[in-house]
Amino acid sequence: MKIGILTGGGDCPGLNAVVRGVTKAALRKGWEVIGFKDGYKGVVENRFENLDDRAVSGILIRGGTILGTSNTANPFAYTLEPFGSAGSPKDLSGLAVKNLKKAGVNALVAIGGDGTLNIAYKLHKNGFPVVGVPKTIDNDLSATDVTFGFDSALKVATEAIDNVHTTAESHHRVMIVETMGRYAGWIALRSGIAGGGDIILLPEIPYRPQDILKAVNDRRRRGKHFSIVVVSEGAKPENGEMTVNRVVAGSTDPLRLGGVSYKIAGLIEKNIEVECRVVVLGHLQRGGSPTPFDRWLATGFGVGAVDLIERKKFGRMMSLSCYKCVSVTLAQAVGKLRRVPLDCPEIRTALSVGTSFGNAKITA
Ligand code: F6P
């Protein structure tokens, strides 16, 4: 048995822990493992390395991915040189499968978010044996309780919120911390609760400018001359749009969000006599060593993926359900974004400790 592994989409802490988990578990069964470089790009270009015990030693605690990744390499609509071209997406899935077979790969472990898993599902439907492992800091995949990478991102975001508290208090300022998360507000919500954010703005709850101003003013009336706003990059005003920072051609989702926090700062400074400062956390949330939880989850997912292959359960994805590593079908897993439901316990928790969601219609 020979397993191929690839990591696709944006990197996050824990990817290497999965690569290690898959490799060690497979080697102990006497199987061989190879790692494709730069996600599906390496499969199309036939670039891979042998993964032995030495190759995966010491990587458990390392962020990023030793295999490299790509968020624009889609074998079914390939736009990258030298085999594709930006203007006209080509279907190179046949070449990808040919390369997998030429390398002697019996099963592919695809580690990634919705884009990567969608491609994995298509390869599976075309008859190639695939299992998926879900990752993303955004925690927006519907078929798992949580993805690895999320907890590590929360750690960075919560520490940032903690750190701006003291400067906000000393200068009597409003500090605005912008988190990632794309169309799901999980990072802002959980780190906002953990860090004691006074106002949390989520993509799922379009904000009303007057309600943000009221929340800041209410605090000032109570003698709190500083406020912490935690804003998710996908937050938008009622009847307004998200703030798009750039468009990445060829990406499964070309929109890159970012910068809404500057709009919030402008709104507050225009209407209240208070200074605002903005901290956009950006890719800091994807860096650093994975937390113990993410190491545990990623290792469990890696070992579970090898189990699935051994039992010939292809077309499935590892998933966490009530703290147990289980699996679901890729069909169940892909294409369904898990956003913050307005009736979730976290929203109630935040409202109950006096947090504003910048929209007075949201009440406990
Ligand atoms: O999906 C993970 C994520 O970090 C999002 O939170 C963010 O919107 C996006 O990727 C950023 O992508 P890039 O690395 O291409 O800037």
Side-chain angles (χ1 to χ4, degrees), residues 10 71 136-138 180-182 233 248 256-257 283 286:
N71 58 10
T136 164
I137 63 164
D138 304 338
M180 279 187 163
R182 229 188 266 271
E233 62 180 0
V248 179
R256 293 296 178 272
L257 307 174
H283 292 80
R286 296 216 320 232

Side-chain angles (χ1 to χ4, degrees), residues 139-156:
N139 200 30
D140 60 355
L141 293 179
S142 55
T144 178
D145 287 354
V146 71
T147 50
F148 69 84
F150 176 57
D151 191 59
S152 303
L154 281 186
K155 179 172 178 276
V156 173

Side-chain angles (χ1 to χ4, degrees), residues 60-327:
L60 175 63
I61 66 170
R62 271 175 65 187
T65 160
I66 58 162
L67 298 177
T69 186
S70 164
N71 58 10
T72 47
N74 176 359
F76 291 90
Y78 205 76
T79 54
L80 303 172
E81 305 269 4
F83 299 114
S85 67
S88 50
K90 275 191 205 157
D91 184 353
L92 296 184
S93 56
L95 175 63
V97 170
K98 198 170 132 203
N99 286 341
L100 285 164
K101 288 184 177 161
K102 198 161 80 185
V105 172
N106 306 112
L108 179 69
V109 178
I111 312 166
D114 197 54
T116 306
L117 296 170
N118 237 307
I119 296 167
Y121 182 42
K122 283 188 180 169
L123 287 173
H124 164 72
K125 283 196 290 187
N126 284 1
F128 197 83
V130 178
V131 303
V133 176
K135 69 86 219 184
T136 164
I137 63 164
D138 304 338
N139 200 30
D140 60 355
L141 293 179
S142 55
T144 178
D145 287 354
V146 71
T147 50
F148 69 84
F150 176 57
D151 191 59
S152 303
L154 281 186
K155 179 172 178 276
V156 173
T158 305
E159 275 173 12
I161 299 166
D162 288 350
N163 289 344
V164 298
H165 250 101
T166 44
T167 177
E169 201 168 356
S170 308
H171 285 268
H172 317 294
R173 283 174 174 164
V174 175
M175 296 296 295
I176 301 159
V177 178
E178 181 174 319
T179 68
M180 279 187 163
R182 229 188 266 271
Y183 312 118
W186 293 109
I187 301 178
L189 179 59
R190 291 262 176 94
S191 66
I193 293 173
D198 305 301
I199 301 169
I200 300 177
L201 304 178
L202 308 178
E204 293 86 350
I205 306 178
Y207 63 82
R208 304 200 299 186
Q210 69 274 24
D211 293 341
I212 295 178
L213 298 173
K214 182 172 181 309
V216 174
N217 277 326
D218 282 353
R219 279 178 57 79
R220 286 159 70 84
R221 264 193 294 278
R222 294 202 315 272
K224 306 256 177 108
H225 291 280
F226 74 96
S227 289
I228 307 291
V229 184
V230 182
V231 52
S232 178
E233 62 180 0
K236 59 180 181 191
E238 245 181 22
N239 309 316
E241 296 301 322
M242 286 181 305
T243 308
V244 175
N245 177 262
R246 66 167 66 198
V247 176
V248 179
S251 176
T252 38
D253 182 352
L255 297 188
R256 293 296 178 272
L257 307 174
V260 60
S261 46
Y262 291 97
K263 294 184 181 165
I264 306 295
L267 165 78
I268 296 172
E269 286 192 337
K270 203 167 141 213
N271 290 282
I272 302 175
E273 233 177 87
V274 65
E275 264 192 302
C276 295
R277 292 290 186 271
V278 165
V279 182
V280 180
L281 296 178
H283 292 80
L284 282 177
Q285 293 156 101
R286 296 216 320 232
S289 185
T291 58
F293 177 84
D294 279 341
R295 293 179 201 187
W296 165 80
L297 183 58
T299 304
F301 277 178
V303 171
V306 172
D307 278 348
L308 285 179
I309 292 171
E310 187 165 41
R311 291 188 285 132
K312 304 218 177 318
K313 299 251 178 203
F314 300 116
R316 300 188 71 81
M317 181 193 88
M318 291 305 299
S319 152
L320 190 75
S321 175
C322 302
Y323 279 90
K324 281 209 176 81
C325 289
V326 297
S327 74

